[in-house]
Amino acid sequence: MSKNYNVIGHSKPKIDGPEKVSGAAKYTGDLKFPNMLHGKILTSPHAHARILSIDTSEAEKLPGVKAVITHKDVPTLKYGLSPARWDENIFCSEKTRFVGDKVAAVACLDEETCYKALKLIKVEYEVLPAVLDFLTAMDEGQPLVHEEYARNINTEIHQEFGDVAKAFAEAHHVRTDTFIGQRTYQCPIEPHSAISMWDAGKLTIYSSTQSPHYFQHYIAREFGMDIGDVRVLKTFVGGGFGGKLEPTGLEFAGAVLAKITSRPVRMFYDRAEMFAHNRGRHAQQMEITTGVDKDGKILGAYANFKMDGGAYTSLGIASAYYAGALLPMTYEFDNFKFDMYRVYTNLPACGAQRGHGAPQPKYAFESHLDNVAKDLGIDPMDIRIRNARRPDTVTPNDFKINSCHMKECLERAREISGWDEKKKNKVPGRGIGVSTGSFVTGAGYPIYRTDLPHASAFIRVNEDGTAATLYTGSVDIGQGSDTVLCQMAAEAMGYRYEQMKIVAADTETTPLDFGAYASRQTYMSGTAVKLAGEEVKKQILEMASFMLSLPPEDLDCEDGIIFSKSRDDKSITFQEAARKHFVLRGPLMGKGVYTPPKLGGTFKGAAVGTSPAYSFGAQIGEVEIDAETGEISVLGIWDVHDCGKVINPRLLHGQVHGALFMGMGESVWEEVLFDDKGKIINAELANYKMLTAMDMPPIESEVIDSYEPTGPWGAKEVGEGSTNPTLGMFSNAIFDAMGVRVNSLPLTYEKVWRALKEKREQEAAEKA
Amino acid sequence: MSNVITDKDGVKRYLITLNVNGDEHTILVKGNTTLTNALRDQLDLTGTKRGCELGDCGSCTVLFDGRPINSCMKLAVEAEGHEIITIEGVAANGELDAIQQSMINHAAVQCGYCTPGMVLSAKALLTRNPHPTEPEVREAIAGNLCRCTGYVHIVEAVLAASRGVLAPDDGAHATAGGAK
Amino acid sequence: MYMPDYEYHTPGTLAEACTLLGELGGKVTVLAGGSDVLHKMKIGNLVPDHLVSLKNLKELREIRYEQGRGVVIGALVTHDGIYRSQLLQKHFLSLPMAAHTMANTQVTNIGTIGGNIVNGSPLADLPPILIALGASVKLVGRSGERVLPLEEFIVGPGKTVIAQDEILTEISIPDQPTTGSTYKKFGLRKSGALAVVSVAAAVTVEGGAITDARIVLGAVAPVPLRAKSAEASLKGKKVSDEAIEEAAAAAAADSRPISDLRGSDEYRRELVRVFTKRALRKAIDEGHV
């Protein structure tokens, strides 16, 4: 389990570090092509409006405008990310469904002309009553966002496993709490952009994307093209967090503009447009009921949720299923019921944000569990340890858990945070909270139905053996997958990391990989890379066997040296053998492919949440509250993770830091706010409060020595799991500090202040 | 302003000389061209990033007479006569600055989009205050939003650079020989 | 984002600038540092025909002491310049601290004190502490100059009494008997936050009694607001928690907050109370900080 490896397990410096620190790294918006035009999309100023007419003539007359397009100029095929509900058009034709819905686009000589041209497009609207409140969106008499979806229901889920009613009837204590989660936005620092160009009927798109493959698939589908005629490639990607998983409209509109003008077109969203496009975290209402025995053992749970989907489906069907599917992960119970309505509203569509459907339900469940613990007089840590999931178990919704160190994570977090001491000697105004999380290591099934493998890779060793290049369709969006996969390739080959190169995420030159989402790449892409490396190693050992006249079974290769296991005097370098291989047999290459096994149950929606492996983690946070203002200062956060074998410790901890940074923002500071007409009022970074370096507390991140039997070298996910506990952890720490529970996210200073005020008033009334 | 050219539509353009990374560039800009756009579009110095364009994120940070500013909040025409350093001017003769090397060694870079601005803010800090405390480091980079790292490794990297120790003290780099 | 087209002017002298401002027709905007002006143009709130840059007026970048006028600050001194001024740090540390904590480094290196004032925002960070310190502004126009108390200069959100041909050139803070002053701002994160509420206080304490106090509230009225009944309640009182509490409550009553995305009126009123109390306590106990 704790075998020492030459390459993996070490904090190798990021392969793209030098380019990124020197400013040389080119992101899509940094690229220029000869004769390139700039493009922008005109969006709806109304949340819900009928389009009466569009007049582009003035815009067309403006010098520098090369093309103006509307719904008349583009395919009318509806698209989306979830095949079950394709409900989006490149441009609206009859009506617009949110402030920011796409209406037209321009291509111009420069950016400034684009903005001016957009202002000259005259769109006549008939403003319609809008659905802005997801809690009443299903009510009788509400306007319909999509006429074909009655009561604005986008997705409806009713699942029951075991017998919840029986569990509650037999329970010592049954409690119900209701919580609200807010809409947040991924907010990558790099804005979306895409450059489209045509050459002899073939389309090439450079895009800031998490998945060139899905983009290629959906773009080819939209334009009725063969996959082979569409090339999508990414350059450097400035963060995604789920927001760059689906085509944004920039690709579709840009492709049409490029075709019409026969010139490359670079489309981009500015910050406000990114917010409007959104696809961030769904707002949701979460009612949770749990029945426990007298020791706090959970007997059954019922989750009754409603979700604000916004105007389109995006990846929201999966979000809706995930919200319930991942609830029975960190704690063991057999009876579970889940009801969910994802409804349409006239707000920007929501999709997948780091942790996907899980963080808010986790907030609700973990807050609720602390309430239950308080009812029973049990320490929040004890109730969690008592219910903690064990390895080699199956969840009520048929997810097979292999490695799982939930209990050890909790115990270790308890130890390093000084939990017991802090609980014993409470400092007024301070509080400490605990929460758990878990996440999939890659989704068990692709986003669209296909039997294609999920990941593949090949490795080409240079003719003289001095370098090797890994070709993979996986996408480094900052998390460091290029580095980790090169480490894995080198380890499997017996090669040196420092001699590795990588070509990634270009549908024309790299083999299929579904890309960066659902925390899949270290495991899934990594498995394919490991197989490719092993294939190289097998060939190089065969060549060495010939060169050294020793049987291949007697040979091994580590760190670029091929040696005999039985004789000290026999060795040869990888380089020498690789060169000989090229001379005698041609290019030295290895390939690998990964397809997950068949996973999950047979009930409706059984696929969502399936994964070959799951991470587990516990988080503890300590806060200090200013009782007069509600201001929350974070004193420290301790995260202990079970993510299997660690391939690159520093990158791993960086993932934990980033995931809990996002979770921290969502806990107290971040919220997309709308006016009463459905327009975002904080579509910028002064009032959408991402945290600064001055806000961040000391963070201690640790891992449990863990081995996932199905993963490459025992690895599993880390990138999203650490967002899941954070929201509940804050809720519980505030509860511990002040004895008040804020039942809606974000747990703002004002909400905490108000809760304290109400508590004081209630106490005064009780005294009187 | 003496060198003004008016085009056929009556739009004025200004011939300005920008001193960027020690080089003098004479370019023609409009009165409303931001320094960010002049650097990126005309000088191809795309290490200066556009993140929010409203002075909130720090991706477009450049050093302006040695002080970090948001170049999106500065008109190109107002930058004449000042010394501008962009991220492309930080490494000298292909040798990375200590902060840059330290950022790599500490895995302080993830997506890298905030990194140029982050490096420049840190560089300005260490030039003025070679041995900052941790709160001083945090304050100096507070105008550079990072969505990836939680700032943990960035703060470590800047502090390490200030101490002249570019490798992390967790021993993680005992086996690393890569990026130079 | 993009900015409108305008004509860009760079007068070489103050007199030239005033003449230009007086003679140009249409909407004319003066450009100092640019952090507010560019922001407003980018979000479409300002569409000038002419932009008159003050970049050549180097004399407005100085801070000096002048007998009779006190500390004189040129309108083009940046927030960072105010923070680093030894002179200001010696006399009224409260002002450099306000300038330092108002925004992040990249902004404090661009924004100027003049811009912060002429912008006329009720959220602006420097006017409250400057008004508390009794600062005056000098306005220079074609036909001469005038000096008036800063308090009378800002008359509404984004509105000042500056005339078309006038330029705010200097801010002066008089010699004064105050024994302490401070600026407290409550924002929703620790850097880069707009004020939900801000309170500046300047006090004169002699022999344990408060002989004079000025309290100015930010972000809770259309203009930086003198909390006059709070000030009156303190006058002549011995320093005590009760006196401070009473003044704080009076300040809350004086405030006229609205509800917006940063906080409700009710919350803001309570914050005024809390931060008036804290500001007074700090100014009384710690001097100019």
Side-chain angles (χ1 to χ4, degrees), chain A residues 112 115-116 119 270 626 628-629 631 633 669 685 687 689-690 694-695 749-750 753-754 757, chain C residues 1-2 5 186-191 194 261-264 266-267 270-271 273-275 277-278:
Chain A
E112 193 177 316
Y115 282 103
K116 288 177 176 169
K119 287 194 169 172
D270 63 27
D626 182 330
E628 286 187 308
T629 65
E631 184 175 10
S633 297
W669 291 274
L685 300 179
N687 289 299
K689 301 177 296 292
M690 275 173 56
M694 288 173 77
D695 296 285
Y749 303 166
E750 180 166 355
W753 167 79
R754 195 172 295 283
K757 180 170 163 267
Chain C
M1 308 193 112
Y2 87 107
D5 287 313
F186 184 69
L188 299 179
R189 63 180 170 196
K190 295 198 193 307
S191 175
L194 298 167
L261 75 172
R262 287 179 287 278
S264 68
E266 185 195 1
Y267 184 45
E270 173 62 8
L271 291 171
R273 191 187 69 76
V274 171
F275 285 97
K277 182 179 74 175
R278 292 181 187 181

Side-chain angles (χ1 to χ4, degrees), chain B residues 17-36:
Chain B
T17 300
L18 291 183
N19 182 328
V20 184
N21 303 328
D23 298 330
E24 298 225 315
H25 300 270
T26 299
I27 56 171
L28 207 52
V29 297
K30 287 180 61 181
N32 64 2
T33 304
T34 60
L35 179 56
T36 310

Side-chain angles (χ1 to χ4, degrees), chain A residues 46-120:
Chain A
H46 305 295
H48 197 192
R50 194 168 308 288
I51 297 174
L52 302 178
S53 67
I54 305 176
D55 178 2
T56 60
S57 58
E58 286 302 310
E60 282 158 17
K61 278 183 222 153
L62 185 72
V65 175
K66 308 308 280 186
V68 185
I69 55 171
T70 67
H71 63 92
K72 291 183 190 137
D73 308 292
V74 300
T76 53
L77 185 66
K78 283 188 192 291
Y79 70 89
L81 198 53
S82 300
R85 303 271 188 290
W86 278 320
D87 54 9
E88 205 162 347
N89 279 108
I90 298 179
F91 296 124
C92 304
S93 56
E94 281 160 22
K95 65 175 195 173
T96 62
R97 294 182 174 84
F98 70 97
V99 177
D101 214 353
K102 303 179 291 294
V103 174
V106 297
C108 308
L109 287 181
D110 56 47
E111 259 179 47
E112 193 177 316
T113 307
C114 291
Y115 282 103
K116 288 177 176 169
L118 292 184
K119 287 194 169 172
L120 294 176

Side-chain angles (χ1 to χ4, degrees), chain B residues 11-75:
Chain B
V11 178
K12 290 198 164 74
R13 286 187 167 72
Y14 303 84
L15 192 68
I16 59 167
T17 300
L18 291 183
N19 182 328
V20 184
N21 303 328
D23 298 330
E24 298 225 315
H25 300 270
T26 299
I27 56 171
L28 207 52
V29 297
K30 287 180 61 181
N32 64 2
T33 304
T34 60
L35 179 56
T36 310
N37 287 354
L39 292 169
R40 289 174 54 82
D41 298 343
Q42 292 185 265
L43 304 184
D44 275 330
L45 296 171
T46 55
T48 303
K49 300 298 182 201
R50 295 202 306 187
C52 73
E53 300 181 72
L54 286 174
D56 295 320
C57 78
S59 308
C60 66
T61 300
V62 300
L63 300 187
F64 197 76
D65 296 331
R67 297 184 187 284
I69 65 160
N70 290 317
S71 61
C72 73
M73 288 283 119
K74 184 61 83 182
L75 294 177

Side-chain angles (χ1 to χ4, degrees), chain A residues 177 179 286-292 298-303 305 323-324 326-333 335-336 358-373 383-384 387 434-436 724 727-729 731-732 741:
Chain A
D177 287 300
F179 301 89
M286 299 158 288
E287 179 200 285
I288 293 192
T289 306
T290 300
V292 293
I298 302 168
L299 304 177
Y302 171 44
F305 292 2
L326 295 186
L327 271 180
M329 291 301 300
T330 64
Y331 308 119
E332 286 183 21
F333 49 90
N335 305 293
F336 176 54
Q360 290 185 354
K362 244 336 197 178
Y363 149 75
F365 196 89
E366 294 283 336
S367 301
H368 169 75
L369 191 59
D370 262 31
N371 290 348
V372 170
I383 200 170
R384 285 174 172 78
N387 286 289
V434 61
S435 178
T436 62
N724 290 339
L727 291 67
M729 179 265 282
S731 173
N732 291 339
R741 174 73 67 190

Side-chain angles (χ1 to χ4, degrees), chain A residues 414-432:
Chain A
R414 173 185 213 153
E415 195 179 322
I416 62 174
S417 65
W419 172 276
D420 293 331
E421 170 61 24
K422 282 169 181 161
K423 277 284 183 189
K424 209 183 300 162
N425 303 312
K426 274 205 60 145
V427 179
R430 288 192 183 182
I432 187 162

Side-chain angles (χ1 to χ4, degrees), chain A residues 755-768:
Chain A
L756 285 168
K757 180 170 163 267
E758 282 162 8
K759 186 183 167 211
R760 275 194 301 269
E761 286 165 0
Q762 199 185 331
E763 283 168 359
E766 277 164 16
K767 242 183 234 166

